[in-house]
Amino acid sequence: MLRCVFRMIPAMDIVHLIQSAVAPVFLLSGVGVTLGVLTNRLARIVDRARFLEQLTHAESARAKSTADSLRVLARRAHYINIAITLCTIAALLVSLVVVSLFTSAFVAVNLSALIAILFVLAMVCLTASFGVFLFEVRLAT
């Protein structure tokens, strides 16, 4: 039977715990700003695609050029969606790091390996998100 033991910790240890959780919270704030940039970029891509689709209906003479532009926009939207997904996973993992920090302080369980793994996974996802975003920006230009 699994038995959890809750423990009382002194106030100074709580202060240290909060100090330790501040860095991941700042990281979470940065990830949130990045998500805002990515979603705004996706919205601009969608707006441009809608405009081009309306153009396609109005002018059939430039249909090939418009269709090519729509294909590029679809690829860009696909890459931005991947970047948003990776960034969101990174935010989730950073949140789990903070939860794990507090859990390890109040429950007699050593979660240091889990915390390290979650943080590394968050950094991998965030790095991959930035890489995909860079690829999308290059595709846009």
Side-chain angles (χ1 to χ4, degrees), residues 58-126:
E59 302 178 3
S60 60
R62 295 175 38 174
K64 182 177 176 356
S65 173
T66 305
D68 291 343
S69 295
L70 283 170
R71 272 192 289 283
V72 170
L73 287 173
R75 283 182 59 204
R76 287 180 56 201
H78 175 72
Y79 289 124
I80 286 292
N81 276 324
I82 292 171
I84 288 171
T85 300
L86 289 168
C87 203
T88 303
I89 291 170
L92 176 65
L93 291 170
V94 171
S95 298
L96 289 174
V97 165
V98 174
V99 169
S100 298
L101 280 168
F102 281 94
T103 301
S104 69
F106 290 105
V107 178
V109 177
N110 184 6
L111 298 177
S112 58
L114 176 68
I115 292 167
I117 290 168
L118 288 172
F119 188 77
V120 168
L121 286 174
M123 290 297 96
V124 167
C125 286
L126 191 58

Side-chain angles (χ1 to χ4, degrees), residues 20-40:
S20 297
V22 166
V25 169
F26 277 122
L27 175 62
L28 193 58
S29 175
V31 170
V33 169
T34 303
L35 275 170
V37 168
L38 292 172
T39 55
N40 284 337

Side-chain angles (χ1 to χ4, degrees), residues 43-65:
R44 290 181 53 109
I45 291 169
V46 169
D47 289 343
R48 179 73 179 150
R50 286 182 181 151
F51 173 75
L52 288 176
E53 284 177 352
Q54 288 175 351
L55 256 164
T56 303
H57 297 305
E59 302 178 3
S60 60
R62 295 175 38 174
K64 182 177 176 356
S65 173

